[in-house]
Amino acid sequence: MKMILVHAGMLTARTQAAIDQWRAALMMMAAFPNLHVKISGLGMYSSGITLPQARQVIRDVIQIFGAERTIYGSNFPLEKLHASYADFFGIYRTVLSEYTEAEQRAVLHDNAAKFYRVLCHQNPTAAPCRSYSSARSILTVAISPTLRGRRLVT
């Protein structure tokens, strides 16, 4: 059974001790190959997030779980209290731009399409959608119980 750890494991404080404890916990959980991690809600415990904070969390998560088990997600509308979706997504995109295009596509789209079994294009056996610009729509469809498993034609 596949499982997902939400909000990057919820780093709730920015002290070095808290960061070390969070990393250690992620490393223990990453030992389970059926566990994926969603980088979402990164600003929940700090009333928003800065680029350096996001970079640290995203890099650590990808280093520990690998790009192949990391999934982008938002925590909207809750994080709307601190910034716009465009602002948060811009920070994620800036950090992810440090990775290869294939890794970016995996994190922003392909991993979610595989995890939630969302099929794309006219051919249901085709690889996940080639464009990750539609990731937000696909994630919305993927988490809707009434739409799970349906094809999304982009």
Side-chain angles (χ1 to χ4, degrees), residues 118-130 149-154:
V118 177
L119 302 177
C120 304
H121 301 295
Q122 298 296 328
N123 179 0
T125 61
C129 294
R130 300 291 179 224
R150 290 192 186 170
R151 289 186 317 182
L152 177 65
V153 178
T154 58

Side-chain angles (χ1 to χ4, degrees), residues 92-104:
Y92 283 75
R93 287 300 301 236
T94 298
V95 175
L96 290 170
S97 72
E98 300 168 10
Y99 294 87
T100 68
E101 187 175 320
E103 290 169 323
Q104 290 178 55

Side-chain angles (χ1 to χ4, degrees), residues 3-11 22 26 29 35-44 57-58 61-62 65-76 79 92 96 106-108 111-113 115-116 135 138-140 142-144 148:
M3 298 170 54
I4 194 156
L5 175 65
V6 297
H7 305 323
M10 296 188 188
L11 176 60
W22 169 76
L26 286 183
M29 290 184 280
L35 182 64
H36 293 65
V37 63
K38 189 181 295 184
I39 49 172
S40 60
L42 302 186
M44 286 183 11
V57 172
I58 293 168
V61 165
I62 291 174
F65 277 84
E68 67 280 359
R69 290 196 293 155
T70 301
I71 297 173
Y72 163 78
S74 79
N75 195 35
F76 266 70
E79 285 187 309
Y92 283 75
L96 290 170
V107 171
L108 292 171
N111 295 343
F115 186 88
Y116 294 111
I138 288 170
L139 291 175
T140 301
I143 62 174
S144 170
R148 187 169 292 131

